[in-house]
Amino acid sequence: MVDAIVSTALQKLPSILQNELSLLTGLQGELEKLSATFATIQAMLEDAESRRVNERSVTIWLEKLKDLACYIDDILDEWGTEAFIPKDSEDDDSGSLFGKKKVSNFLFLPFSCFSHSVLRHRIGNRIKDVRERLDEIAKEASQLHLRVDSGERERADIKVRQHETRERETSSQVDDSAIIGREHEKNEIIELLLRESSQEGNGVTVISIIGMGGLGKMTLAQLAYNDEKEHFDMRMWVCISEDFDVKRITESVLKSAIGTGCESLDLDQLQCHLRELLQGKRFLLVLDDIWNEDSEKWDKLRLPFQNGGRGSRVIITTRSENVSSAIGNTQMHKLQVLSNDDCWLLFSQRALTDRSINECLELEKIGRKIVKKCGGVPLAAKTIGSTMRSKRTRRE
């Protein structure tokens, strides 16, 4: 059994750091690298424990993990003093490395004690130091040929996938006043939503919005979704991403429709429930960010949709035409890049905020040169524009 000090640190440090530091921008990259390395090392601990008796090098490796855990404990002690403990968190867990008192000390450290920049700098340096030491430990583990425990690796992979899914989740909400250059495309999608033919019958028509990352596929779907609220009896929005799990998606569609989860039901029960819910109703379903190219999975997912009323629509957003082909009979809309003028408007909204007219005129020429390098991709224009907001001079 691995020493409690090591396993506790490995299990709890990432969540402690993320709870505190999620408020501090600029450190998320380091945290993600830290969490990934933790997952790798956790999956090797069982093999290391079984070999420590006969292999001195493995024992030394585990000792380094202990030292790092103690270092982490020192960080908590440094930032968590008695003066900063909230009055309602006096539970006595002093015997635990990550007991409630020390966690409270760390999590409730008030920002008033330091300036934001100083606190961010100190915490950032600590995280970087911990990650570098963990990277070295992971490298040594590879040299020792420590084997990955399959069960632990599977649990770690599940945690990583869940984290990635949360990071990529999208919403149907949109501020249409901030959207530039997509009015024509929005009208085209709305026309597809409303158009009905005598051959259509019951069932559902699929509309595919296709384009590379950052073009605004999700934004276009949001605009169409919110523009025709009155036309549909039911509207649902689900973010898919890379994990095309039919049961999870069906459950998410149901949850979007009725507002509550159905976690205890199996796939057959979920689909029967959804089929009854959609019976004869004209619905609009958006499936955002689909990567699946397996037509059999799509065929299984779409079964309950066939009970929808005439005029029902499913909008999917995807980067790949292969996804649309796997779905079958879809109406494709290929999203194009924005014009340089529209990209300039997106860029300047962010880069030239809170500047005088003279400053804006002085920076426009170099700004338009930067915009050309964005290649008509809205996300690039917005991201670089936000970065330029803090640059006060043309040289910067």
Side-chain angles (χ1 to χ4, degrees):
M1 189 72 179
V2 179
D3 276 357
I5 190 172
V6 175
S7 60
T8 303
L10 287 174
Q11 291 168 15
K12 295 189 177 181
L13 178 65
S15 60
I16 292 172
L17 289 175
Q18 288 178 22
N19 284 339
E20 170 65 15
L21 295 174
S22 60
L23 300 175
L24 302 178
T25 59
L27 300 177
Q28 289 83 356
E30 291 292 335
L31 285 170
E32 289 173 3
K33 293 174 185 176
L34 183 66
S35 296
T37 309
F38 263 116
T40 301
I41 292 176
Q42 273 187 299
M44 297 176 179
L45 287 178
E46 185 174 333
D47 185 40
E49 181 64 27
S50 67
R51 292 168 52 183
R52 68 182 303 175
V53 176
N54 299 319
E55 298 182 46
R56 173 68 178 161
S57 56
V58 175
T59 302
I60 294 173
W61 184 81
L62 284 169
E63 288 296 327
K64 288 183 179 180
L65 272 180
K66 286 185 185 180
D67 290 342
L68 181 57
C70 290
Y71 174 63
I72 293 166
D73 196 25
D74 289 341
I75 294 175
L76 295 180
D77 282 338
E78 179 181 347
W79 284 323
T81 64
E82 287 295 330
F84 298 139
I85 299 175
K87 296 185 182 296
D88 59 352
S89 59
E90 297 178 351
D91 304 73
D92 185 12
D93 287 280
S94 57
S96 169
L97 170 64
F98 288 92
K100 293 180 183 176
K101 183 173 287 189
K102 289 182 178 177
V103 173
S104 297
N105 293 346
F106 187 81
L107 296 182
F108 291 98
L109 177 63
F111 286 103
S112 60
C113 300
F114 308 98
S115 71
H116 180 280
S117 59
V118 171
L119 182 58
R120 173 184 168 184
H121 178 72
R122 291 185 63 185
I123 296 176
N125 283 343
R126 294 291 192 180
I127 294 174
K128 185 178 179 181
D129 187 22
V130 169
R131 185 178 64 79
E132 287 175 352
R133 291 174 65 174
L134 270 175
D135 286 343
E136 184 63 31
I137 289 171
K139 182 180 178 181
E140 291 178 9
S142 178
Q143 294 169 348
L144 291 169
H145 303 292
L146 290 175
R147 290 182 292 106
V148 172
D149 173 63
S150 58
E152 191 64 46
R153 167 53 68 192
E154 184 178 354
R155 288 188 288 273
D157 287 344
I158 290 173
K159 289 180 181 178
V160 170
R161 287 197 299 270
Q162 288 174 339
H163 172 72
E164 289 175 346
T165 299
R166 285 193 297 270
E167 288 295 304
R168 298 178 67 170
E169 276 188 339
T170 62
S171 164
S172 63
Q173 302 305 302
V174 64
D175 178 8
D176 55 3
S177 65
I179 308 303
I180 292 173
R182 292 302 187 199
E183 189 66 27
H184 177 67
E185 283 91 346
K186 183 186 90 168
N187 291 335
E188 287 185 342
I189 296 297
I190 290 174
E191 182 182 347
L192 292 175
L193 289 178
L194 302 181
R195 182 194 303 162
E196 296 184 22
S197 67
S198 57
Q199 289 80 29
E200 184 174 322
N202 291 328
V204 60
T205 298
V206 180
I207 301 167
S208 303
I209 301 176
I210 304 170
M212 65 180 179
L215 270 189
K217 302 181 295 296
M218 177 192 70
T219 300
L220 185 56
Q222 289 170 327
L223 291 172
Y225 182 89
N226 287 285
D227 193 86
E228 294 302 325
K229 296 179 181 180
E230 304 303 323
H231 182 73
F232 295 96
D233 302 319
M234 298 179 64
R235 295 181 308 134
M236 297 152 287
W237 179 288
V238 176
C239 178
I240 307 297
S241 291
E242 296 182 46
D243 181 21
F244 197 91
D245 183 289
V246 174
K247 180 181 177 182
R248 180 187 68 81
I249 298 170
T250 304
E251 184 181 309
S252 296
V253 173
L254 261 174
K255 186 175 182 179
S256 180
I258 64 179
T260 58
C262 305
E263 293 84 355
S264 60
L265 303 181
D266 60 28
L267 178 60
D268 179 65
Q269 292 170 319
L270 288 168
Q271 290 199 321
C272 288
H273 190 180
L274 183 57
R275 179 188 293 269
E276 292 174 4
L277 191 68
L278 299 179
Q279 180 67 47
K281 294 180 180 176
R282 179 190 291 161
F283 68 86
L284 171 61
L285 169 63
V286 174
L287 300 176
D288 183 40
D289 195 23
I290 293 185
W291 294 69
N292 170 65
E293 298 180 4
D294 186 340
S295 58
E296 290 187 9
K297 288 185 177 180
W298 169 253
D299 288 341
K300 185 185 294 186
L301 176 67
R302 75 192 301 172
L303 289 173
F305 305 157
Q306 306 308 313
N307 270 29
R310 182 174 176 175
S312 293
R313 299 287 184 267
V314 173
I315 296 177
I316 71 162
T317 68
T318 180
R319 301 185 184 190
S320 171
E321 288 189 39
N322 292 336
V323 171
S324 184
S325 299
I327 290 174
N329 186 24
T330 67
Q331 302 185 49
M332 291 192 291
H333 179 92
K334 296 180 182 179
L335 197 56
Q336 304 300 315
V337 297
L338 290 181
S339 67
N340 281 335
D341 285 340
D342 285 335
C343 266
W344 165 249
L345 289 175
L346 284 174
F347 175 89
S348 60
Q349 279 181 348
R350 290 154 179 80
L352 302 183
T353 299
D354 298 327
R355 299 180 194 260
S356 67
I357 294 177
N358 288 337
E359 281 183 295
C360 293
L361 292 174
E362 181 183 344
L363 296 173
E364 181 172 352
K365 185 176 180 181
I366 185 66
R368 286 188 177 273
K369 287 182 178 180
I370 292 172
V371 164
K372 285 184 179 180
K373 296 181 182 293
C374 295
V377 179
L379 182 60
K382 291 190 289 186
T383 302
I384 297 174
S386 296
T387 302
M388 294 297 110
R389 180 178 295 177
S390 62
K391 313 302 180 187
R392 306 309 302 178
T393 66
R394 185 181 183 281
R395 180 176 180 81
E396 287 183 287

